Amino acid sequence: MSDTQLKDTAVTTQHAGCDDKTQRMLQQIKKVTVIGAGTMGNGIVHVFAQSGFDVRMMDISQPSLDKALATIGKNMDRQVAKAQLTEEQKQKALNHIQAFTTMEEALKDADLVIEAATENIDLKIKIFKELDKLTSENCILATNTSSISITRIGSHTSRPGKVIGMHFFNPVPVMKLVEIINGYATEKEVTEVITELAAYLGKVPANVNDYPGFISNRILMPMINEAITALQEGVAGVEDIDTVMKLGMAHPMGPLQLADFIGLDTCYNIMNVLHMGFGHPKYAPATLLANMVQAGFLGAKSGEGFYKYTPGSKELKVSERFKNARF
């Protein structure tokens, strides 16, 4: 069975390198709650359900939950078509998923909670305060944040030692990496449990410490921001910038196309986190990026960013705004 196929049970195998306490904690993780039914949330639910966990997906919007369940089903259908899952395994995985619109129901008896809400510090703090009140003291509280301080989030709970970052990458069922971020107070056993758990899911965990942007976005986002600045200054056009990085640096996707895929609002928010965290002007978001976000040009999800996106079409077309444009 490949590592993308359904496992029959939750974590019951022995894990080399784990001490007894870590092993016990790992085997106690049976029920997982994911907060947020967006792109990242439904992807995380998909991976856990496919690995045999009972998963509760929580979102305040029932339409968002319905859309997420449909997305998970379609993505699993693709896996069936590629012989990565059988139809029986798909149905078994889907049967592991429940959807809720209230925290109280979704968090009942949860062993692990993964928050995958919007990348907004005030919202995350509000959610973690509620998680802290509604879960048992042994429940591990993880966040899928891509840049916000784990230490800061944990400080708003009564259990900072059990708060950790578990940063998945989009699309979650496909991307192997999980960035495991230790807050200043995160317990060693919690880090070991989440690291082992990520490996059990078929992912490759990378452990990092809690500094702005961690590793992935501390390196990636300034590169994207610099590409936007180069476009803003008229150094080169959209296609030329992306072509240089794809063909010259062997990147599978150019930085401007990648920014559209991530979401320009997300890029803007992460750059602000870096700017605030390091206090250095090199992390200030490009003016063009700020203007595009303010105007609602957010990339693929809004239909237009540096490129124009047409539903049902895979053709990559530069936005008319950037054809022969200088800023």
Side-chain angles (χ1 to χ4, degrees):
M1 182 181 292
S2 74
D3 58 14
T4 60
Q5 290 182 311
L6 180 70
K7 298 180 174 69
D8 291 329
T9 62
V11 184
T12 56
T13 55
Q14 293 296 313
H15 293 256
C18 283
D19 60 26
D20 290 342
K21 182 178 179 181
T22 301
Q23 185 68 42
R24 287 194 300 272
M25 289 174 67
L26 187 62
Q27 292 182 350
Q28 287 169 1
I29 296 177
K30 306 294 184 185
K31 296 181 180 178
V32 178
T33 299
V34 177
I35 307 297
T39 300
M40 297 305 296
N42 74 60
I44 294 168
V45 169
H46 178 145
V47 168
F48 271 93
Q50 189 173 301
S51 294
F53 292 88
D54 291 327
V55 193
R56 295 164 180 168
M57 178 168 53
M58 185 272 162
D59 199 289
I60 59 174
S61 167
Q62 185 62 50
S64 294
L65 289 169
D66 294 339
K67 181 180 178 182
L69 290 169
T71 297
I72 293 169
K74 289 177 182 177
N75 288 338
M76 287 188 179
D77 284 339
R78 292 192 188 97
Q79 290 177 298
V80 171
K82 295 178 181 178
Q84 295 173 340
L85 284 180
T86 65
E87 183 63 30
E88 181 183 358
Q89 289 169 333
K90 184 195 85 170
Q91 290 302 325
K92 190 171 183 179
L94 291 174
N95 289 339
H96 278 293
I97 303 171
Q98 291 179 288
F100 298 92
T101 56
T102 63
M103 284 278 202
E104 289 83 358
E105 289 182 292
L107 295 172
K108 186 179 180 182
D109 300 325
D111 303 306
L112 168 67
V113 180
I114 303 173
E115 170 272 317
T118 304
E119 194 75 349
N120 177 287
I121 182 61
D122 293 329
L123 175 61
K124 290 186 185 295
I125 288 172
K126 179 181 177 182
I127 290 172
F128 269 78
K129 285 181 176 179
E130 196 165 359
L131 297 180
D132 193 39
K133 293 177 182 177
L134 295 174
T135 57
S136 70
E137 62 181 13
N138 292 322
C139 180
I140 296 173
L141 305 180
T143 172
N144 185 56
T145 182
S146 58
S147 63
I148 295 171
S149 169
I150 308 304
T151 304
R152 183 176 178 187
I153 292 173
S155 71
H156 291 274
T157 73
S158 63
R159 64 184 96 178
K162 287 188 167 54
V163 175
I164 193 167
M166 197 175 188
H167 179 206
F168 291 84
F169 289 76
N170 187 30
V172 179
V174 176
M175 297 292 280
K176 285 289 190 181
L177 179 64
V178 177
E179 202 173 24
I180 309 296
I181 306 103
N182 302 303
Y184 192 81
T186 303
E187 297 168 3
K188 176 176 175 288
E189 291 85 2
V190 170
T191 300
E192 291 175 350
V193 164
I194 296 302
T195 300
E196 292 283 348
L197 179 60
Y200 185 82
L201 296 173
K203 303 301 185 184
V204 178
N207 285 274
V208 305
N209 290 319
D210 189 17
Y211 287 86
F214 317 135
I215 287 296
S216 56
N217 282 323
R218 181 173 179 171
I219 295 170
L220 175 64
M221 284 301 159
M223 182 195 73
I224 288 175
N225 196 55
E226 192 63 28
I228 297 170
T229 301
L231 176 64
Q232 173 183 305
E233 294 176 351
V235 177
V238 170
E239 284 185 304
D240 291 320
I241 290 170
D242 278 355
T243 296
V244 166
M245 298 306 291
K246 286 189 289 185
L247 300 185
M249 284 68 185
H251 290 196
M253 187 182 293
L256 299 178
Q257 184 187 358
L258 180 57
D260 273 358
F261 180 72
I262 293 169
L264 301 189
D265 51 341
T266 300
C267 295
Y268 178 72
N269 289 338
I270 293 172
M271 287 308 302
N272 278 323
V273 168
L274 293 173
H275 191 207
M276 181 177 67
F278 290 115
H280 195 291
K282 75 176 183 179
Y283 295 109
T287 303
L288 175 58
L289 174 61
N291 286 345
M292 292 177 73
V293 171
Q294 288 295 320
F297 293 87
L298 307 180
K301 64 184 173 184
S302 69
E304 187 173 354
F306 297 107
Y307 294 88
K308 180 75 174 178
Y309 300 89
T310 303
S313 174
K314 293 184 178 181
E315 185 180 0
L316 199 61
K317 291 184 178 180
V318 175
S319 167
E320 291 291 336
R321 294 172 178 273
F322 296 110
K323 289 184 177 179
N324 303 315
R326 287 186 176 275
F327 297 87

